[in-house]
Amino acid sequence: MLHLTLAQAGARLVEDASAALTLSLRERSVYVASLPAAAQSVCLRSRVAFPFTSRGSNTDGCGAYGRQFRDGEGRATRRSKRWYVELMKKYAVVLEHHGCTATARELQQLATEMGGRVDLDSHEEVMQYMVARVSEGMVAEIRREAGVLHPVLEEMDASVGVLGTKLYDAKLVLSAIAIQAADSGVQDAVRVFGFELDSSTIADAVLVHDVIMSLMTLHLDDRRRYRSCTRTQEVRVALEIVKGLVPVGRELFLCDTGADPNEDDVAAILVRVNANLLADGTLDLPAQCCPAPLCAAINLVCVVAIVGWFWTCLLYTSPSPRDS
């Protein structure tokens, strides 16, 4: 993902090269539950199709999906041919039950064919074989039935030890906010937000995590907002800085998902929208309910969000940090 503040006429370009925000599955569920219904749908629809649509390198035995969904030690998770075969069979059963007969039969046939291929040794070969045979129509049907397929995918992910997820782009948006604060004259701004002087490398992972989680839940009522257990004062200082910034009029985010908007992109826009709403006074640090501008922005996250002074454009490119 690349970030460019249009008001600066290209004066500052930030590239996300490595680090990401790591969430436990519990934190991920809190984040997703905080979203308006349309944005939750974006997350679910992308997630259930992700194993069949992931782009980029698969030579590490994990692929983009495995690099996004991590084990308890933060390591990328690996999936065998048998895992994909079993996932397709389980999807087929659920789809058949919900009347999606044609797609169910196609998945079952592909699972049988792929399961019988003895020449598919590596993860890269499995992905090439599968992606070439899963049609756009099949993917569209899978997305439409995301609500009933998501529990199946969660169960399959648990079988390979998935306990967390990585959100790359929310960290990048926080980098952009830190740069804006530094450009506004805030002393040592990038370190206040948990970054090294290059404004991209994470110096304090806990602080970055807690500031992002706080911004992602800032629109919720006080009981549902995230609270740092260990960095309360530092998070408060960072949010006070955001509150004092001039709301950004226009930002361009070049997102790297390649296939479709996913929960990573939604999280990034949620951080940016809430930061702007805090800066313009719509939100404050005390409890407030979710305002209409936030819902409007996130509901339009698929392509373009237009909320008065806030304009975000999502363009999908490759490669992604997940792809390497």
Side-chain angles (χ1 to χ4, degrees), residues 3-23:
H3 165 271
L4 176 64
T5 301
L6 298 184
Q8 295 175 320
R12 183 67 61 87
L13 187 67
V14 181
E15 182 175 3
D16 186 14
S18 57
L21 170 68
T22 301
L23 299 182

Side-chain angles (χ1 to χ4, degrees), residues 248-249 251 253 269 272-273 276 297 305-312:
V248 173
E251 286 189 319
F253 292 95
I269 289 188
R272 180 69 268 182
V273 171
N276 265 9
I306 304 175
V307 190
W309 38 255
F310 180 76
W311 178 84
T312 294

Side-chain angles (χ1 to χ4, degrees), residues 198-219:
D198 64 4
S199 72
S200 181
T201 304
I202 294 178
D204 188 332
V206 174
L207 180 57
V208 168
H209 170 279
D210 286 0
V211 172
I212 290 176
M213 287 296 295
S214 296
L215 283 170
M216 285 201 301
T217 58
L218 194 62
H219 61 286

Side-chain angles (χ1 to χ4, degrees), residues 218-220 225 242-243 245 247 272-295 307-310:
L218 194 62
H219 61 286
L220 303 177
R225 287 184 175 188
V242 174
K243 183 179 178 181
L245 296 176
R272 180 69 268 182
V273 171
N274 276 353
N276 265 9
L277 292 175
L278 178 60
D280 86 338
T282 303
L283 286 177
D284 203 347
L285 297 183
Q288 296 229 355
C289 294
C290 176
L294 173 68
C295 296
V307 190
W309 38 255
F310 180 76

